Amino acid sequence: MIRRHIDEPLRRALGDTPVVLLNGARQTGKTTLAQAIGQRSGATYFTLDDAATLALATADPTGFIRNLSGPVVLDEIQQAPDLFPAIKLAVDQHRVAGRFLLTASANVMIPPRLSESLAGRMEIVPIGRPGASIRRSTLARALAVLVAAMTPLHRPAGRGRDKAGCRPPRDAVNAVAPEAARCCQETRRTM
């Protein structure tokens, strides 16, 4: 998992706030980060992308929340906005820092009733794509691999090298982006 600058603010929020919302666009690492923090804290993880969990949560939001104990991670909370009043009730009855870690891929706080229901009980931690420093270091590593791959090593041709002794660019792509390299293999087809 990529080390992020958001780790420390998220830990601080969980240390003093009963509900923490990790909010951001899809594919920014919210679920991965929430699962990692949940595992370290012993939290129970639920995803509302799971149809059965979503059905239970929407059928009886208060009962769903009431039956949870200990710290809980609720992933993709925007799928069940009726959980917010139930979370408010649970926090008002038993206020414990870090009790709920929520993730959302949309701005769930736009409807006024939602933003008012958890006022003073929830901290929102925005998450974006990995920061510029991560992108710069990744780019620097990628360029170093490409330069190394294209630089002759004064070795004879053969063993995967061209006539000048260079490793083929495919090896550089494999080193930098193995998933992309696998997707581009001729034997792999996509729909």
Side-chain angles (χ1 to χ4, degrees), residues 69-117:
S69 61
V72 175
V73 175
L74 293 173
D75 194 17
E76 300 296 346
I77 192 75
Q78 78 278 357
Q79 303 276 5
D82 289 339
L83 287 176
F84 282 98
I87 292 170
K88 174 191 180 288
L89 180 64
V91 168
D92 288 349
Q93 291 173 349
H94 185 66
R95 189 178 185 102
V96 176
R99 185 167 177 197
F100 294 97
L101 173 58
L102 314 175
T103 73
S105 296
N107 191 347
V108 297
M109 302 317 294
I110 290 174
R113 69 179 182 91
L114 296 183
S115 59
E116 292 169 9
S117 69

Side-chain angles (χ1 to χ4, degrees), residues 16-158:
D16 63 12
T17 309
V19 182
V20 177
L21 174 66
L22 190 55
N23 192 30
R26 292 202 171 270
Q27 300 297 309
T28 54
K30 294 180 305 297
T31 297
T32 302
L33 183 57
Q35 286 175 330
I37 288 173
Q39 284 178 343
R40 285 193 300 259
S41 69
T44 305
Y45 173 83
F46 296 94
T47 179
L48 296 172
D49 279 339
D50 177 70
T53 304
L54 180 60
L56 286 171
T58 55
D60 181 11
T62 303
F64 180 80
I65 296 297
R66 186 183 308 125
N67 287 321
L68 301 176
S69 61
V72 175
V73 175
L74 293 173
D75 194 17
E76 300 296 346
I77 192 75
Q78 78 278 357
Q79 303 276 5
D82 289 339
L83 287 176
F84 282 98
I87 292 170
K88 174 191 180 288
L89 180 64
V91 168
D92 288 349
Q93 291 173 349
H94 185 66
R95 189 178 185 102
V96 176
R99 185 167 177 197
F100 294 97
L101 173 58
L102 314 175
T103 73
S105 296
N107 191 347
V108 297
M109 302 317 294
I110 290 174
R113 69 179 182 91
L114 296 183
S115 59
E116 292 169 9
S117 69
L118 290 172
R121 299 168 185 89
M122 180 170 72
E123 183 171 338
I124 300 172
V125 179
I127 184 171
R129 301 228 179 258
S133 62
I134 293 171
R135 286 192 301 271
R136 279 194 302 273
S137 67
T138 301
L139 179 59
R141 283 194 306 271
L143 288 173
V145 169
L146 286 172
V147 168
M150 300 308 293
T151 303
L153 297 175
H154 305 292
R155 293 185 184 169

